[in-house]
Amino acid sequence: MSLPPTAEQLQAALSDLRDPEIGRSLADLDMLKSVVVRGNSAAVEVELPTPAYPERERLAQAVAARVAERFPGLPVEVTYSFRVRGKHSGGTIGLNAANVVAVGSGKGGVGKSTIAAALAYGLHRAGARVALLDADVYGPSIPHLVGLKGQPTIKTVQLPDGRSIDRIEPLVAHGLKVMSMGFMVPPEQAVVWRGPMLHKWLTQLLHQTDWGPLDYLIIDMPPGTGDVALTLSQTVQLAGAVVVCTPQQVALLDAVKAISMFHQVKIPVLGMVENMSGEVFGRGGTRAKAQELGLPFLGEIPSDPLIRIRGDEGRVSELFAEDSTSREPLQSLCERTAIQIAKNLLETPQLPTLEIL
């Protein structure tokens, strides 16, 4: 082998290498965190845009292939770190979340809340800082799905200027911070609110809950089209919305209405998810509709009895256990969603990080 390259030469050789998931160069994505040459070997640290990055070995293989092409015989070790970037737009209301993601559907009964909970747990399991907000005031099912009961507590926080404010302590299930109207009213009690009350409640939870710094806040939306999406569009700059649908045409008709609603309130649609895919409802309808609408297809979740069982037991987090039959498709959904968030961020201006008490 000829003389090894300098670190600067190696970094220049890798700078235009395209990330296999996002399709942009490592330099454009600012993913080359460090490049070191020691003697006759090299070490490259790649900073991923999410801990839920899929198939990291493909990126390592691409780096190794480029090094072998430009500097034959130079062994290279590829290591990873991650930094979740985002809009951090919630800082103006007391929410320090890099990415706020709405999970919606055109109609009820398509498993939207289960998908929202699974998305939150999957990103948390990957290593991200995640919280889950149940904004489905009229039918809050997140507490049951994650196995939580009780009421949140209020704590008083002293600000540096001497003022004090009250903050709501979210409940925690398997490391995931969770807030829901279901913690505040008995399960059998109906919530009968008009739009202004709903707006006030949702804004208060976003503003006063002590979420702490978050990479992702997942919001389980009410089904259909209504006031919650409008409130969110006025309160935070969302990273986007995930639309959940089952494969049959009647569900797809309502999903298209939900997508139209998100477009009208300027919330980008990250993509569509086909839930309960299989013999009962058919398969492939959501993928075809996403292609027709020019939207990403984020994944197909099979009609697996285990998903229903774990949800009924309040153990949605266990769907990611090693022996879970639904682990792979749910993990793929989390990865595809996280990558789509990273892609969308490149197309819109990024706001500065705001640290809020």
Side-chain angles (χ1 to χ4, degrees):
M1 185 182 76
S2 58
L3 289 175
T6 64
E8 291 75 15
Q9 289 172 328
L10 181 55
Q11 178 150 348
L14 294 172
S15 62
D16 65 343
L17 181 66
R18 289 185 176 274
D19 173 79
E21 289 295 333
I22 300 178
R24 298 277 290 272
S25 73
L26 298 184
D28 285 347
L29 299 172
D30 195 23
M31 288 173 62
L32 288 173
K33 187 170 184 180
S34 75
V35 176
V36 178
V37 177
R38 293 192 182 93
N40 292 322
S41 66
V44 175
E45 182 181 353
V46 177
E47 187 175 70
L48 302 173
T50 174
Y53 188 97
E55 300 183 41
R56 300 180 183 188
E57 59 275 7
R58 288 201 304 153
L59 182 53
Q61 290 167 1
V63 170
R66 174 60 63 87
V67 172
E69 174 192 343
R70 302 287 177 87
F71 310 105
L74 179 69
V76 59
E77 178 188 15
V78 180
T79 57
Y80 298 102
S81 57
F82 73 88
R83 176 167 61 99
V84 178
R85 305 168 203 183
K87 298 175 180 179
H88 293 274
S89 59
T92 58
I93 62 162
L95 171 65
N96 184 18
N99 299 286
V100 182
V101 180
V103 180
S105 65
K107 65 192 298 292
V110 299
K112 166 189 56 64
S113 296
T114 301
I115 294 298
L119 182 60
Y121 273 120
L123 292 170
H124 172 72
R125 181 178 177 274
R129 299 170 298 179
V130 188
L132 176 60
L133 172 59
D134 183 359
D136 191 349
V137 172
Y138 305 114
S141 54
I142 289 296
H144 181 84
L145 289 170
V146 302
L148 279 176
K149 294 181 180 179
Q151 291 185 330
T153 58
I154 307 295
K155 69 176 183 179
T156 301
V157 177
Q158 292 294 131
L159 299 179
D161 62 6
R163 294 181 298 122
S164 61
I165 59 172
D166 290 335
R167 303 302 300 270
I168 305 169
E169 284 280 359
L171 276 65
V172 179
H174 309 286
L176 186 73
K177 295 178 180 179
V178 182
M179 273 300 299
S180 170
M181 174 58 73
F183 299 143
M184 303 175 186
V185 297
E188 67 279 1
Q189 180 176 326
V191 176
V192 184
W193 281 353
R194 294 186 184 273
M197 281 294 295
L198 188 61
H199 175 89
K200 180 180 178 181
W201 171 82
L202 183 55
T203 303
Q204 182 179 17
L205 282 193
L206 287 167
H207 178 76
Q208 289 188 250
T209 301
D210 188 16
W211 300 109
L214 297 173
D215 296 315
Y216 304 98
L217 173 63
I218 308 300
I219 301 181
D220 180 28
M221 303 273 287
T225 58
D227 295 313
V228 169
L230 184 59
T231 293
L232 288 175
S233 69
Q234 295 171 341
T235 309
V236 293
Q237 189 178 9
L238 274 77
V242 172
V243 177
V244 182
C245 188
T246 48
Q248 72 269 39
Q249 287 300 314
V250 66
L252 289 167
L253 290 172
D254 290 327
V256 171
K257 294 176 184 177
I259 291 167
S260 176
M261 172 196 67
F262 286 127
H263 286 162
Q264 287 182 47
V265 297
K266 310 300 182 185
I267 296 175
V269 177
L270 296 168
M272 300 180 71
V273 180
E274 180 166 291
N275 194 29
M276 305 184 200
S277 181
E279 294 180 4
V280 176
F281 295 116
R283 173 174 290 147
T286 309
R287 182 191 293 271
K289 181 59 69 175
Q291 184 175 5
E292 176 188 331
L293 298 174
L295 294 172
F297 180 66
L298 299 175
E300 179 182 288
I301 310 303
S303 183
D304 185 347
L306 184 65
I307 296 178
R308 177 193 60 79
I309 292 168
R310 291 292 178 262
D312 286 347
E313 295 172 341
R315 298 159 59 192
V316 168
S317 63
E318 295 183 16
L319 293 174
F320 291 92
E322 294 294 332
D323 60 347
S324 170
T325 53
S326 55
R327 175 176 175 268
E328 186 174 333
L330 288 173
Q331 183 171 306
S332 177
L333 165 64
C334 297
E335 293 169 349
R336 296 263 62 83
T337 302
I339 287 296
Q340 194 59 45
I341 292 170
K343 286 181 178 179
N344 281 13
L345 188 62
L346 296 171
E347 300 169 4
T348 55
Q350 183 173 349
L351 300 178
T353 303
L354 297 175
E355 295 290 342
I356 302 294
L357 290 175

Coordinates of all heavy atoms in Angstrom, one line a residue, residues 279-352:
E279 N -56.1 -11.4 5.5 CA -57.2 -12.0 4.8 C -58.5 -11.3 5.0 O -59.4 -11.2 4.2 CB -57.3 -13.5 5.3 CG -56.1 -14.3 4.9 CD -56.3 -15.8 5.4 OE1 -57.3 -16.1 6.0 OE2 -55.3 -16.6 5.2
V280 N -58.7 -10.8 6.2 CA -60.1 -10.2 6.6 C -60.3 -8.9 5.7 O -61.4 -8.8 5.1 CB -60.2 -9.9 8.1 CG1 -61.5 -9.2 8.4 CG2 -60.0 -11.2 8.9
F281 N -59.4 -8.0 5.8 CA -59.6 -6.7 5.1 C -58.9 -6.6 3.8 O -59.1 -5.6 3.1 CB -59.1 -5.5 6.0 CG -59.9 -5.4 7.3 CD1 -59.3 -5.6 8.5 CD2 -61.2 -5.1 7.3 CE1 -60.0 -5.5 9.7 CE2 -62.0 -5.0 8.4 CZ -61.3 -5.2 9.7
G282 N -58.1 -7.6 3.4 CA -57.4 -7.5 2.2 C -56.0 -7.0 2.4 O -55.6 -6.8 3.5
R283 N -55.3 -6.7 1.3 CA -53.9 -6.3 1.4 C -53.5 -5.4 0.2 O -54.0 -5.7 -0.9 CB -53.0 -7.5 1.5 CG -51.5 -7.1 1.5 CD -50.6 -8.3 1.7 NE -50.7 -8.8 3.1 CZ -50.7 -10.1 3.5 NH1 -50.5 -11.0 2.6 NH2 -50.7 -10.4 4.7
G284 N -52.8 -4.3 0.5 CA -52.2 -3.6 -0.6 C -53.0 -2.3 -1.0 O -52.5 -1.5 -1.7
G285 N -54.2 -2.1 -0.4 CA -55.0 -1.0 -0.8 C -54.3 0.3 -0.4 O -54.4 1.3 -1.2
T286 N -53.7 0.4 0.8 CA -53.1 1.6 1.3 C -51.9 1.9 0.5 O -51.6 3.1 0.2 CB -52.8 1.5 2.8 OG1 -54.0 1.1 3.5 CG2 -52.3 2.8 3.3
R287 N -51.1 0.9 0.2 CA -49.9 1.1 -0.6 C -50.2 1.8 -2.0 O -49.6 2.7 -2.5 CB -49.1 -0.2 -0.8 CG -47.8 0.0 -1.6 CD -47.3 -1.4 -2.0 NE -46.8 -2.1 -0.9 CZ -45.6 -2.1 -0.4 NH1 -44.7 -1.2 -0.9 NH2 -45.2 -2.8 0.7
A288 N -51.3 1.2 -2.6 CA -51.7 1.7 -3.9 C -52.2 3.1 -3.8 O -51.9 4.0 -4.7 CB -52.8 0.8 -4.5
K289 N -53.0 3.4 -2.7 CA -53.5 4.8 -2.5 C -52.3 5.8 -2.3 O -52.4 6.9 -2.8 CB -54.5 4.8 -1.4 CG -55.1 6.2 -1.2 CD -55.8 6.7 -2.4 CE -57.1 5.9 -2.7 NZ -57.9 6.5 -3.8
A290 N -51.4 5.4 -1.5 CA -50.2 6.2 -1.2 C -49.5 6.6 -2.5 O -49.1 7.7 -2.8 CB -49.3 5.6 -0.2
Q291 N -49.3 5.5 -3.3 CA -48.6 5.8 -4.6 C -49.4 6.7 -5.5 O -48.9 7.6 -6.2 CB -48.4 4.4 -5.3 CG -47.6 4.5 -6.6 CD -47.4 3.1 -7.2 OE1 -47.8 2.1 -6.7 NE2 -46.6 3.1 -8.3
E292 N -50.8 6.5 -5.5 CA -51.6 7.4 -6.3 C -51.5 8.8 -5.8 O -51.6 9.8 -6.7 CB -53.1 6.9 -6.2 CG -54.1 7.7 -6.9 CD -55.5 7.3 -6.6 OE1 -55.7 6.1 -6.3 OE2 -56.4 8.2 -6.5
L293 N -51.4 9.1 -4.5 CA -51.4 10.4 -4.0 C -50.0 11.0 -3.9 O -49.8 12.1 -3.5 CB -52.0 10.4 -2.6 CG -53.5 10.0 -2.4 CD1 -53.9 9.9 -1.0 CD2 -54.3 11.0 -3.2
G294 N -49.0 10.2 -4.3 CA -47.6 10.7 -4.3 C -47.1 10.8 -2.9 O -46.2 11.6 -2.6
L295 N -47.5 9.9 -2.0 CA -47.1 10.0 -0.6 C -46.2 8.7 -0.3 O -46.4 7.7 -0.8 CB -48.3 10.0 0.4 CG -49.2 11.2 0.3 CD1 -50.4 11.0 1.2 CD2 -48.4 12.4 0.8
P296 N -45.3 8.8 0.7 CA -44.5 7.7 1.1 C -45.5 6.6 1.7 O -46.4 6.9 2.4 CB -43.6 8.2 2.2 CG -43.5 9.7 1.9 CD -44.8 10.1 1.4
F297 N -45.1 5.4 1.5 CA -45.8 4.2 2.2 C -44.9 3.8 3.3 O -43.8 3.3 3.0 CB -46.1 3.1 1.2 CG -46.8 1.9 1.8 CD1 -48.1 2.1 2.3 CD2 -46.2 0.7 1.9 CE1 -48.8 1.0 2.9 CE2 -46.8 -0.4 2.5 CZ -48.1 -0.2 3.0
L298 N -45.4 3.9 4.5 CA -44.5 3.7 5.7 C -44.5 2.2 6.2 O -43.6 1.9 7.0 CB -44.9 4.6 6.8 CG -44.8 6.1 6.5 CD1 -45.4 6.9 7.7 CD2 -43.4 6.5 6.3
G299 N -45.4 1.4 5.8 CA -45.4 0.1 6.2 C -46.7 -0.6 6.2 O -47.8 0.0 6.2
E300 N -46.6 -1.9 6.3 CA -47.8 -2.8 6.4 C -47.8 -3.6 7.6 O -46.8 -4.4 7.9 CB -47.8 -3.7 5.1 CG -48.9 -4.7 5.0 CD -48.8 -5.6 3.8 OE1 -49.0 -5.1 2.7 OE2 -48.4 -6.8 4.0
I301 N -48.7 -3.4 8.5 CA -48.8 -4.1 9.8 C -49.8 -5.2 9.7 O -51.0 -4.9 9.4 CB -49.2 -3.1 10.9 CG1 -48.3 -1.9 10.9 CG2 -49.1 -3.8 12.3 CD1 -46.8 -2.1 11.0
P302 N -49.4 -6.4 9.8 CA -50.4 -7.6 9.6 C -51.5 -7.6 10.7 O -51.3 -7.1 11.8 CB -49.4 -8.8 9.7 CG -48.3 -8.4 10.6 CD -48.1 -6.9 10.3
S303 N -52.5 -8.3 10.3 CA -53.6 -8.5 11.2 C -53.2 -9.7 12.1 O -53.6 -10.8 11.9 CB -54.9 -8.9 10.5 OG -56.0 -9.1 11.4
D304 N -52.4 -9.3 13.1 CA -51.8 -10.3 14.0 C -52.6 -10.3 15.3 O -52.7 -9.3 16.0 CB -50.3 -9.9 14.3 CG -49.5 -10.9 15.1 OD1 -50.2 -11.8 15.7 OD2 -48.3 -10.8 15.1
P305 N -53.1 -11.5 15.8 CA -53.8 -11.6 17.0 C -53.0 -11.1 18.2 O -53.5 -10.6 19.2 CB -54.1 -13.1 17.2 CG -54.1 -13.6 15.8 CD -53.1 -12.8 15.1
L306 N -51.7 -11.2 18.2 CA -50.8 -10.8 19.3 C -50.9 -9.3 19.5 O -50.9 -8.8 20.7 CB -49.4 -11.2 19.0 CG -48.4 -10.9 20.1 CD1 -48.7 -11.7 21.3 CD2 -46.9 -11.1 19.7
I307 N -51.1 -8.5 18.5 CA -51.3 -7.1 18.6 C -52.5 -6.7 19.4 O -52.5 -5.9 20.4 CB -51.3 -6.4 17.2 CG1 -50.0 -6.6 16.5 CG2 -51.6 -4.9 17.4 CD1 -49.9 -6.0 15.1
R308 N -53.6 -7.4 19.1 CA -54.8 -7.2 19.9 C -54.7 -7.7 21.3 O -55.1 -7.0 22.3 CB -56.0 -8.0 19.3 CG -57.3 -7.8 20.1 CD -58.4 -8.8 19.6 NE -57.9 -10.2 19.7 CZ -57.9 -10.9 20.9 NH1 -58.3 -10.3 22.0 NH2 -57.6 -12.1 20.9
I309 N -54.0 -8.8 21.5 CA -53.9 -9.4 22.9 C -53.0 -8.5 23.7 O -53.4 -8.2 24.9 CB -53.2 -10.8 22.8 CG1 -54.2 -11.8 22.1 CG2 -52.8 -11.3 24.2 CD1 -53.6 -13.1 21.7
R310 N -51.9 -8.0 23.2 CA -51.0 -7.2 24.0 C -51.7 -5.8 24.3 O -51.5 -5.2 25.4 CB -49.7 -6.9 23.3 CG -48.8 -8.2 23.2 CD -48.3 -8.6 24.6 NE -47.5 -9.8 24.6 CZ -48.0 -11.0 24.9 NH1 -49.3 -11.2 25.3 NH2 -47.2 -12.1 24.8
G311 N -52.5 -5.3 23.3 CA -53.2 -4.1 23.6 C -54.3 -4.2 24.7 O -54.4 -3.4 25.5
D312 N -55.0 -5.3 24.6 CA -56.0 -5.6 25.7 C -55.4 -5.7 27.0 O -56.0 -5.4 28.1 CB -56.8 -6.9 25.3 CG -57.8 -6.6 24.2 OD1 -58.0 -5.5 23.8 OD2 -58.3 -7.6 23.6
E313 N -54.2 -6.3 27.1 CA -53.5 -6.5 28.3 C -52.7 -5.2 28.8 O -52.2 -5.3 29.9 CB -52.5 -7.6 28.2 CG -53.1 -9.0 27.9 CD -52.1 -10.1 27.6 OE1 -50.9 -9.7 27.2 OE2 -52.4 -11.3 27.7
G314 N -52.7 -4.2 28.0 CA -52.0 -3.0 28.4 C -50.5 -3.2 28.3 O -49.7 -2.6 29.0
R315 N -50.0 -4.0 27.3 CA -48.6 -4.4 27.2 C -48.1 -4.2 25.8 O -47.4 -5.0 25.2 CB -48.4 -5.8 27.6 CG -48.8 -6.1 29.1 CD -49.1 -7.5 29.4 NE -47.9 -8.4 29.1 CZ -48.0 -9.7 29.1 NH1 -49.1 -10.3 29.3 NH2 -46.9 -10.4 28.8
V316 N -48.5 -3.0 25.2 CA -48.1 -2.7 23.8 C -46.6 -2.7 23.7 O -46.0 -3.1 22.6 CB -48.7 -1.4 23.3 CG1 -48.1 -0.9 22.0 CG2 -50.2 -1.5 23.1
S317 N -45.9 -2.3 24.7 CA -44.4 -2.3 24.6 C -43.8 -3.6 24.3 O -42.7 -3.7 23.7 CB -43.8 -1.7 26.0 OG -44.1 -2.6 27.0
E318 N -44.5 -4.7 24.7 CA -44.0 -6.1 24.5 C -44.1 -6.5 23.1 O -43.6 -7.6 22.7 CB -44.7 -7.1 25.5 CG -44.4 -6.8 26.9 CD -45.0 -7.8 27.9 OE1 -45.4 -8.9 27.4 OE2 -45.1 -7.5 29.1
L319 N -44.7 -5.8 22.2 CA -44.8 -6.1 20.8 C -43.4 -6.0 20.2 O -43.2 -6.6 19.1 CB -45.7 -5.2 20.1 CG -47.2 -5.3 20.4 CD1 -48.0 -4.2 19.7 CD2 -47.7 -6.7 20.0
F320 N -42.4 -5.4 20.9 CA -41.1 -5.3 20.4 C -40.1 -6.3 21.0 O -38.9 -6.3 20.8 CB -40.5 -3.9 20.6 CG -41.2 -2.9 19.7 CD1 -42.3 -2.2 20.2 CD2 -40.7 -2.6 18.4 CE1 -42.9 -1.2 19.4 CE2 -41.4 -1.7 17.6 CZ -42.5 -1.0 18.1
A321 N -40.7 -7.3 21.7 CA -39.9 -8.4 22.3 C -39.3 -9.2 21.2 O -39.9 -9.3 20.1 CB -40.7 -9.2 23.3
E322 N -38.2 -9.9 21.5 CA -37.5 -10.6 20.5 C -38.3 -11.7 19.9 O -38.2 -12.1 18.7 CB -36.2 -11.2 21.1 CG -35.2 -10.2 21.5 CD -34.6 -9.5 20.3 OE1 -34.5 -10.0 19.2 OE2 -34.1 -8.3 20.5
D323 N -39.2 -12.3 20.7 CA -40.1 -13.4 20.2 C -41.4 -13.0 19.6 O -42.3 -13.8 19.3 CB -40.3 -14.5 21.3 CG -41.0 -13.9 22.5 OD1 -41.1 -12.6 22.6 OD2 -41.4 -14.7 23.3
S324 N -41.6 -11.7 19.5 CA -42.9 -11.1 19.0 C -43.0 -11.3 17.5 O -42.1 -10.8 16.8 CB -43.1 -9.7 19.5 OG -44.2 -9.1 18.8
T325 N -44.1 -11.8 17.0 CA -44.3 -12.0 15.6 C -44.5 -10.7 14.9 O -44.4 -10.6 13.7 CB -45.5 -12.9 15.3 OG1 -46.7 -12.4 16.0 CG2 -45.2 -14.3 15.8
S326 N -44.9 -9.6 15.6 CA -45.2 -8.3 15.0 C -44.0 -7.4 15.2 O -44.1 -6.2 14.7 CB -46.5 -7.7 15.6 OG -46.3 -7.6 17.0
R327 N -43.0 -7.8 15.8 CA -41.8 -6.9 16.0 C -41.2 -6.4 14.7 O -41.0 -5.2 14.6 CB -40.7 -7.7 16.8 CG -39.4 -6.9 17.0 CD -38.5 -7.8 17.8 NE -37.2 -7.1 18.0 CZ -36.2 -7.3 17.2 NH1 -36.3 -8.2 16.2 NH2 -35.0 -6.7 17.3
E328 N -41.0 -7.2 13.8 CA -40.3 -6.7 12.6 C -41.1 -5.7 11.8 O -40.5 -4.6 11.4 CB -40.0 -7.9 11.7 CG -39.1 -7.6 10.4 CD -38.7 -8.8 9.6 OE1 -38.6 -9.9 10.2 OE2 -38.5 -8.6 8.4
P329 N -42.4 -5.9 11.5 CA -43.1 -4.9 10.7 C -43.3 -3.6 11.5 O -43.2 -2.5 11.0 CB -44.5 -5.5 10.4 CG -44.6 -6.6 11.4 CD -43.2 -7.1 11.6
L330 N -43.4 -3.7 12.9 CA -43.6 -2.4 13.7 C -42.2 -1.7 13.7 O -42.2 -0.5 13.7 CB -44.1 -2.8 15.1 CG -45.5 -3.2 15.2 CD1 -45.8 -3.7 16.6 CD2 -46.4 -2.1 14.8
Q331 N -41.1 -2.4 13.9 CA -39.8 -1.8 13.9 C -39.5 -1.1 12.6 O -39.0 0.0 12.5 CB -38.8 -2.8 14.2 CG -37.4 -2.3 14.3 CD -36.4 -3.3 14.8 OE1 -36.6 -3.9 15.8 NE2 -35.3 -3.5 14.0
S332 N -39.9 -1.7 11.5 CA -39.8 -1.1 10.1 C -40.6 0.1 10.0 O -40.1 1.1 9.5 CB -40.2 -2.1 9.0 OG -40.1 -1.5 7.8
L333 N -41.8 0.2 10.6 CA -42.6 1.4 10.5 C -41.9 2.5 11.3 O -41.9 3.6 10.8 CB -44.0 1.1 11.2 CG -44.8 2.3 11.6 CD1 -45.2 3.1 10.4 CD2 -46.0 1.9 12.4
C334 N -41.3 2.2 12.4 CA -40.6 3.2 13.2 C -39.4 3.8 12.4 O -39.2 5.0 12.4 CB -40.2 2.7 14.5 SG -41.5 2.2 15.6
E335 N -38.7 2.9 11.8 CA -37.5 3.3 11.0 C -37.9 4.2 9.8 O -37.3 5.2 9.6 CB -36.7 2.1 10.6 CG -36.1 1.3 11.8 CD -35.6 0.0 11.4 OE1 -35.9 -0.5 10.2 OE2 -34.9 -0.7 12.2
R336 N -38.9 3.7 9.1 CA -39.3 4.5 7.9 C -39.9 5.8 8.3 O -39.6 6.8 7.6 CB -40.4 3.7 7.1 CG -39.9 2.3 6.6 CD -39.5 2.4 5.1 NE -38.4 3.4 4.9 CZ -37.1 3.1 5.0 NH1 -36.7 1.9 5.4 NH2 -36.2 3.9 4.7
T337 N -40.6 5.9 9.4 CA -41.1 7.2 9.9 C -40.0 8.1 10.3 O -40.0 9.3 9.9 CB -42.1 7.0 11.0 OG1 -43.2 6.1 10.6 CG2 -42.7 8.3 11.5
A338 N -39.0 7.6 11.0 CA -37.9 8.5 11.5 C -37.1 9.0 10.3 O -36.7 10.2 10.3 CB -37.0 7.7 12.4
I339 N -36.9 8.1 9.3 CA -36.1 8.6 8.1 C -36.9 9.6 7.3 O -36.4 10.6 6.8 CB -35.8 7.3 7.2 CG1 -34.7 6.5 7.9 CG2 -35.3 7.8 5.8 CD1 -33.4 7.2 8.0
Q340 N -38.2 9.4 7.2 CA -39.0 10.4 6.5 C -39.0 11.8 7.2 O -39.0 12.8 6.5 CB -40.5 9.9 6.4 CG -41.3 10.7 5.3 CD -40.7 10.6 3.9 OE1 -40.3 9.6 3.5 NE2 -40.6 11.8 3.3
I341 N -39.0 11.7 8.5 CA -38.9 13.0 9.3 C -37.6 13.7 8.9 O -37.5 14.9 8.7 CB -39.0 12.7 10.8 CG1 -40.4 12.3 11.2 CG2 -38.6 14.0 11.6 CD1 -40.5 11.8 12.6
A342 N -36.5 12.9 8.9 CA -35.2 13.5 8.6 C -35.2 14.0 7.1 O -34.6 15.1 6.9 CB -34.1 12.4 8.7
K343 N -35.8 13.3 6.2 CA -35.9 13.8 4.8 C -36.6 15.1 4.7 O -36.2 16.1 4.1 CB -36.5 12.8 3.9 CG -35.7 11.5 3.6 CD -36.4 10.6 2.7 CE -35.6 9.4 2.3 NZ -36.4 8.5 1.4
N344 N -37.8 15.2 5.4 CA -38.6 16.4 5.3 C -37.9 17.6 5.9 O -38.1 18.7 5.5 CB -39.9 16.1 6.1 CG -40.9 15.3 5.3 OD1 -40.6 14.8 4.2 ND2 -42.2 15.3 5.7
L345 N -37.1 17.3 6.9 CA -36.4 18.4 7.6 C -35.5 19.1 6.7 O -35.2 20.4 6.8 CB -35.6 17.9 8.8 CG -35.0 19.0 9.7 CD1 -36.1 19.8 10.4 CD2 -34.2 18.3 10.8
L346 N -34.9 18.4 5.7 CA -34.0 19.0 4.7 C -34.7 20.0 3.8 O -34.1 20.8 3.2 CB -33.3 17.9 3.9 CG -32.4 17.0 4.7 CD1 -32.0 15.8 3.8 CD2 -31.2 17.7 5.2
E347 N -36.0 19.8 3.7 CA -36.8 20.6 2.7 C -37.4 21.9 3.3 O -38.0 22.7 2.6 CB -37.9 19.7 2.1 CG -37.4 18.5 1.4 CD -38.5 17.5 1.0 OE1 -39.7 17.9 1.2 OE2 -38.1 16.5 0.5
T348 N -37.3 22.0 4.7 CA -37.9 23.2 5.3 C -36.8 23.8 6.2 O -36.0 23.1 6.7 CB -39.1 22.8 6.2 OG1 -38.7 21.7 7.1 CG2 -40.2 22.3 5.3
P349 N -36.9 25.1 6.5 CA -35.9 25.7 7.3 C -36.0 25.2 8.8 O -37.0 24.9 9.3 CB -36.3 27.2 7.3 CG -37.4 27.3 6.3 CD -37.9 26.0 6.0
Q350 N -34.8 25.1 9.4 CA -34.7 24.6 10.7 C -34.6 25.7 11.7 O -33.8 26.7 11.5 CB -33.5 23.7 10.9 CG -33.4 23.0 12.3 CD -32.2 22.0 12.3 OE1 -31.7 21.6 11.3 NE2 -31.9 21.6 13.5
L351 N -35.4 25.7 12.8 CA -35.4 26.7 13.8 C -34.4 26.3 14.9 O -34.1 25.2 15.0 CB -36.8 26.8 14.4 CG -37.9 27.2 13.4 CD1 -39.3 27.3 14.1 CD2 -37.6 28.6 12.8
P352 N -33.9 27.3 15.6 CA -32.9 27.0 16.6 C -33.5 26.2 17.8 O -34.7 26.3 18.0 CB -32.4 28.4 17.1 CG -33.6 29.3 16.7 CD -34.2 28.8 15.5

